[in-house]
Amino acid sequence: MAARCVVDVGAELGECPVWNTDDGRLYWIDIEGRALHAFDPESGEDEQHDLPARPGSFAFTATPGRLLVALEHQLVWYDWAARSLTPWLEVEKAGTGNRLNDGRCDPAGRFWVGSMYADVAEGQFTGMLHRVDPDGAIRTVRRGVGVSNGLAFAPDGSRMYYADTLHDTVWQYDYDLDTGEASNERVFLDFTQLPGRPDGACTDADGYYWVACVFGWAVLRAAPDGTIDRVIEVPVEKPTMPAFGGPDLDMLYVTSISATGGSRPSSVPQAHAGGVFAIEAGCRGVEEPRFAI
């Protein structure tokens, strides 16, 4: 299960890898580099599209080449072929110091997105968690968040996961796919006894939860009952998010932060920090849901 670097571009803050079955490429973002990327494993080419502001996450839509992007405090539509964006919704007010961060669709096509105070070193808890319905309705379901992260859903939609990196905690919820309601919150992973802090996450076809251990040089897999199934070491201190990709969704891709990026610089030299890594994890993922506009 050795991790090998497949995109060695030194992203400032690589995040949000999502496999696109339309064109067989791994899309991902560089938040501080203000860019969207698309990596083709067959050719090795990584295509970069520059953006006018920081993206926090994105989702594919039913229209090929049209992405829903969380950009600073709002949601925008991005047309990949035209390299153009169109504003859609203001999720939070501008000028608060917050920016949108981790986000993903539930299996019914709602987009969940959280926020954070952009200067993490300040230790502010002004972040929020929002649910955006296909008709554009926004519901804020949590406040007082440090860094929103770890969003993931069980393949059948029965469970939801959410993390606050600054609280070193991942929570698990019962999830009603018909209504989009998360209930029965309980601690799923207490990271005070685990490597690093919880960052981005995904689930596999067996319903296990994969989470990047930022500052912990690892990615871990946990069973639905919270039992740690495995810990996979990676050659960078700050992995940020895993995602399954490849034609059979059996390759685990992991984004990362550069040695000098993030809330604190790394003290140990790392040749490929800020790169995207591939791991043969021995299991399969599920296709990422699309926003149901």
Side-chain angles (χ1 to χ4, degrees):
M1 290 187 185
R4 57 187 176 88
C5 185
V6 293
V7 185
D8 195 9
V9 296
E12 291 184 56
L13 207 173
E15 268 284 5
C16 197
V18 185
W19 183 259
N20 189 351
T21 55
D22 290 338
D23 59 10
R25 295 196 293 178
L26 182 80
Y27 287 67
W28 61 284
I29 61 176
D30 182 350
I31 296 176
E32 294 299 336
R34 302 186 178 198
L36 276 162
H37 291 254
F39 167 63
D40 183 350
E42 289 296 317
S43 67
E45 178 186 355
D46 182 70
E47 183 179 351
Q48 176 177 324
H49 288 201
D50 295 329
L51 296 173
R54 293 172 297 188
S57 52
F58 68 91
F60 295 122
T61 68
T63 303
R66 192 185 196 206
L67 283 65
L68 177 66
V69 182
L71 198 70
E72 295 291 350
H73 64 286
Q74 62 181 325
L75 295 178
V76 303
W77 303 111
Y78 186 76
D79 186 300
W80 188 265
R83 294 181 179 245
S84 63
L85 61 83
T86 305
W88 184 41
L89 292 175
E90 185 178 76
V91 181
E92 296 187 15
K93 293 189 178 300
T96 65
N98 278 6
R99 68 164 175 81
L100 296 177
N101 196 48
D102 189 46
R104 84 169 345 113
C105 290
D106 72 10
R110 305 175 187 89
F111 188 63
W112 285 77
V113 62
S115 65
M116 57 179 281
Y117 193 75
D119 188 351
V120 181
E122 291 287 328
Q124 298 293 315
F125 288 83
T126 59
M128 307 178 202
L129 177 62
H130 313 278
R131 189 190 75 206
V132 182
D133 294 336
D135 63 1
I138 303 171
R139 181 184 174 191
T140 301
V141 300
R142 194 182 189 104
R143 298 178 184 272
V145 175
V147 178
S148 287
N149 260 317
L151 279 165
F153 296 86
D156 64 359
S158 64
R159 297 181 307 278
M160 171 179 161
Y161 299 88
Y162 175 67
D164 185 340
T165 303
L166 297 190
H167 272 118
D168 293 301
T169 303
V170 181
W171 293 276
Q172 185 187 69
Y173 305 82
D174 296 329
Y175 195 68
D176 188 325
L177 200 56
D178 292 331
T179 64
E181 296 293 330
S183 60
N184 190 24
E185 178 182 285
R186 60 269 190 190
V187 173
F188 178 64
L189 295 175
D190 178 355
F191 256 76
T192 59
Q193 305 300 317
L194 296 172
R197 312 187 86 167
D199 206 315
C202 68
T203 54
D204 61 29
D206 297 319
Y208 282 59
Y209 181 79
W210 291 79
V211 60
C213 306
V214 68
F215 301 113
W217 303 82
V219 175
L220 67 81
R221 182 189 195 228
D225 64 1
T227 303
I228 304 301
D229 176 72
R230 70 187 77 162
V231 177
I232 301 175
E233 294 182 355
V234 294
V236 287
E237 182 183 10
K238 295 176 281 190
T240 55
M241 187 173 178
F244 285 91
D248 297 319
L249 296 176
D250 58 356
M251 185 67 72
L252 188 72
Y253 290 98
V254 183
T255 48
S256 66
I257 302 173
S258 70
T260 57
S263 59
R264 67 172 186 259
S266 299
S267 58
V268 181
Q270 300 152 58
H272 305 297
V276 179
F277 297 84
I279 302 169
E280 294 181 4
C283 59
R284 298 179 61 180
V286 294
E287 184 176 349
E288 191 70 18
R290 300 178 180 229
F291 186 63
I293 185 69

